[in-house]
Each structure stands twice: as structure tokens, then as C-alpha cells.
Amino acid sequence: QLQASGGGLVQAGDSLRLSCAASGRTFNRYDMGWFRQAPGKEREFVAAIKWSGGSTDYTDSVKGRFTISRDNAKNTVYLQMNSLKPEDTAVYYCAAGRVPAGRSRWEYEYWGQGTLVTVSS
């Protein structure tokens, strides 16, 4: 029901925009989040946006570089990633959680399949 896309192989300093398209149901009343999981590491919180789009939250390591946004009319959430670093390399997952959902993965009910982002130095 959530389809993440937009990943790829880029160089340090480049930008990517990830998309998460929902189908089968509307997620307009769900908080949405992006998480990532690097090889051998736990899945970690990256960014979240409230159902209204009025509030966002970011993990410290991406603040000022990443921007989460949503278009409820298109049932889609985006993650604009600028100034990418090798440490951003991971599989990125989008998720939807019933209000309120924040930084914990356990607050999210629906997950996309993940899209791989690889940043070379």
C-alpha cells in the first residue's frame, strides 16, 4: 500500500528526492515518516510529518539537508535529500502511522518496501 521510489547511486554532495505513493487507501489522516537502515545497523528515524503537513521533525544528522513534505491530494510523501554524505547510504523506508506518530518505528502501522540510496565519496 506504500511504494517508495527515487533511490539510486549518487556522489557525495548530490541530491535525491524520494517519493512514497500510497494506494489502496488514503493516508491523509496519518502521520508519515521516513526511516533508514544501513547494513548491519538498526532501522533509524529520519524525518516525520504530521497528517496536516503543518509540523515536521528530523533527526539531527539530516537537519538542514533533508526536507519532508506531503501532497495529500496525490496521497504522496516526499523526502528531498540535499548535500548527501556517504553516511546517508541506506535503504530508506516510508511509513504511515495513526495520529500521533513520531520517532519510534513502533508507532507506524504501514511500511513501504524500501528504496536503496548509495552515496559514494
Side-chain angles (χ1 to χ4, degrees), residues 67-121:
T67 303
I68 188 172
S69 61
R70 66 190 298 164
D71 185 338
N72 285 342
K74 295 183 178 180
N75 225 11
T76 301
V77 177
Y78 305 97
L79 185 68
Q80 177 67 43
M81 305 186 296
N82 298 329
S83 301
L84 282 162
K85 303 176 180 180
E87 51 264 44
D88 294 319
T89 295
V91 177
Y92 284 71
Y93 298 89
C94 61
R98 297 181 188 275
V99 174
R103 295 188 170 206
S104 172
R105 59 183 293 189
W106 308 112
E107 296 174 313
Y108 292 84
E109 184 176 353
Y110 300 95
W111 290 84
Q113 86 290 359
T115 185
L116 176 61
V117 173
T118 304
V119 184
S120 63
S121 57

Side-chain angles (χ1 to χ4, degrees), residues 38-67:
K41 294 188 177 181
E42 295 288 321
R43 190 171 300 188
E44 65 172 357
F45 169 79
V46 176
I49 186 166
K50 292 298 181 183
W51 69 271
S52 63
S55 178
T56 57
D57 186 28
Y58 301 91
T59 192
D60 286 347
S61 62
V62 308
K63 282 182 181 177
R65 300 189 298 121
F66 290 11
T67 303

Side-chain angles (χ1 to χ4, degrees), residues 2 6 19 30 34 43 80 85:
L2 294 175
S19 298
Y30 283 73
W34 284 97
R43 190 171 300 188
Q80 177 67 43
K85 303 176 180 180

